Structure formats: C-alpha cells, structure tokens
Amino acid sequence: GAVVSQHPSRVICKSGTSVKIECRSLDFQATTMFWYRQFPKQSLMLMATSNEGSKATYEQGVEKDKFLINHASLTLSTLTVTSAHPEDSSFYICSATRVNNEKLFFGSGTQLSVL
Amino acid sequence: GQQVMQIPQYQHVQEGEDFTTYCNSSTTLSNIQWYKQRPGGHPVFLIQLVKSGEVKKQKRLTFQFGEAKKNSSLHITATQTTDVGTYFCAGPPTGNQFYFGTGTSLTVIP
C-alpha cells in the first residue's frame, strides 16, 4: 500500500520559535495533500488543502501566515508553524491522495508541544 | 464548511456485543469513507461508499450509505477487543476537501 512519512513525530519547542513538519509520499505521487489538527479525544480538523505548485487552500479560521504550507513537489509538503505559542500545541497529521476523491493515506502525525 | 456529525460520541460494549455508529452530513455527499484510528495511532482507511443505498461488508463490519447520500452507518457484529478505537466517517461535499465526522470512540470490555 501507499506510504506517507511524516517527520518529526514529536517536537518540543520554546514559545516564539518556528517548527517545520515534513510530509512525504514515499511510493506514489500525491495529487493533493491535507493537513489536519487533532486535539485529544477529538476529531480531525482540516486546516488546509495543498496541491503541488499552487498556493494552499486554508479553511476558515486558520491563519495562513501562522501555518505556512509549501507543496514543492508531488511527494513533499511542509507545514511550518511560525512563532509558535502554547495554544499551538497539538497533534498535527498530514494525509495524501493519489487520485482526487480516493482514500486518504495518513502520516503518523507530529505531536507539537510549545513551552 | 461542511458539518458531519456522528453519534454516539462514546460507546462502551461488552466483548461479543454489537456496535453501531451513525454519521449524518448537513450536505449531500458524493461519497463517504470510513476510517479507524487506534489509540495513539493515525487514521486508517476502511471503506468507501459511493452509490445511494449502498451496503458493503467486511467480515464483521457492515457499512451502509443512505438513500439521500447524507447519512451512513457502520455496524460491527460481535465486537472483539481488537475493534477498540475511534471510528470516523469522512466525505467531501464537492471537490477534494475531506472533512471528518466527529468520531465515535469504541471501548470493548473483555
């Protein structure tokens, strides 16, 4: 099956620093990548949808200057949490599809803790 | 954005009992997918339903898509401890945005 690799799996940082999370599709070209945020015992909240070579589409209420998404190639998307604050602490998880409306393949997620 | 609600939010069952989770969308869905997330893990795709009224089975799991394509259900027969996790439905209204339901957390008591 298709594999999506996400790094790092866990990061602890000081308030005010920026954190970059990478999401790679290892054995397929991802037409679209999605970034989700998940709080403990809650659902996945879609943050943004990105397509290779174009600007990401952010969901309402998600600050695009705060959560920078770069989809530089068909196999790599990055999420940068800029000037992180404690309220940004959360589980961030990426996913990818090979074909539109096909199933999602998820990365293993990144637990971000901002001190 | 689209709202996809699931009930119940939590369900505790004795091993061997049946379990059902229901998914309701505020808009018509072109398709619906179901995912399972084990504690500490990431969501894993279970199945996709496309046709109105479609019913699909995977061993002890039965998935159904409503006639109006706005609701769906997942039924597990004779639950086992390996069924523990949170079950999410997800469906794009149009285009390729994937919105997840609120999820149902299943606990199976041995």
Side-chain angles (χ1 to χ4, degrees):
Chain A
V3 178
V4 175
S5 174
Q6 185 173 343
H7 292 283
S9 58
R10 181 177 294 272
V11 60
I12 301 172
C13 69
K14 292 182 178 180
S15 185
T17 60
S18 294
V19 175
K20 179 184 281 189
I21 302 169
E22 287 192 355
C23 180
R24 292 180 185 271
S25 55
L26 297 186
D27 52 0
F28 68 99
Q29 292 186 327
T31 55
T32 307
M33 287 189 171
F34 304 87
W35 287 95
Y36 292 88
R37 183 173 181 177
Q38 186 176 35
F39 292 102
K41 298 188 185 298
Q42 293 190 23
S43 185
L44 294 93
M45 183 189 79
L46 180 64
M47 299 175 67
T49 304
S50 73
N51 294 287
E52 181 263 341
S54 60
K55 290 184 179 180
T57 301
Y58 289 81
E59 292 299 302
Q60 192 173 10
V62 179
E63 299 176 59
K64 58 183 178 182
D65 295 331
K66 173 75 171 175
F67 300 99
L68 299 178
I69 292 174
N70 187 319
H71 196 152
S73 74
L74 283 170
T75 59
L76 173 64
S77 177
T78 61
L79 167 67
T80 301
V81 183
T82 61
S83 186
H85 288 93
E87 58 266 29
D88 298 324
S89 299
S90 187
F91 187 63
Y92 293 88
I93 189 164
C94 71
S95 65
T97 58
R98 292 178 295 196
V99 177
N100 285 349
N101 283 338
E102 196 206 39
K103 60 186 176 183
L104 296 179
F105 299 96
F106 280 87
S108 54
T110 298
Q111 183 64 51
L112 170 64
S113 299
V114 184
L115 304 178
Chain B
Q2 174 199 53
Q3 291 193 1
V4 182
M5 303 299 293
Q6 278 181 257
I7 55 171
Q9 187 175 1
Y10 301 97
Q11 184 78 59
H12 292 68
V13 299
Q14 206 73 36
E15 188 173 17
E17 291 182 342
D18 292 355
F19 159 77
T20 304
T21 173
Y22 300 91
C23 178
N24 294 287
S25 170
S26 57
T27 58
T28 301
L29 305 170
S30 58
N31 67 77
I32 195 160
Q33 300 180 4
W34 285 90
Y35 292 80
K36 178 184 178 181
Q37 185 176 23
R38 291 181 183 274
H42 59 274
V44 174
F45 174 83
L46 294 176
I47 208 162
Q48 177 173 285
L49 304 170
V50 179
K51 299 177 182 177
S52 170
E54 188 171 14
V55 177
K56 287 188 176 180
K57 290 191 175 184
Q58 287 180 350
K59 297 183 180 178
R60 293 179 295 105
L61 278 62
T62 301
F63 303 84
Q64 189 167 7
F65 201 9
E67 293 290 340
K69 301 183 79 171
K70 294 178 72 173
N71 57 74
S72 181
S73 65
L74 158 58
H75 180 82
I76 302 178
T77 303
T79 55
Q80 300 175 359
T81 54
T82 53
D83 296 326
V84 166
T86 301
Y87 293 84
F88 293 101
C89 60
T94 56
N96 61 4
Q97 282 93 349
F98 275 92
Y99 296 103
F100 278 74
T102 47
T104 296
S105 176
L106 173 63
T107 301
V108 179
I109 305 164

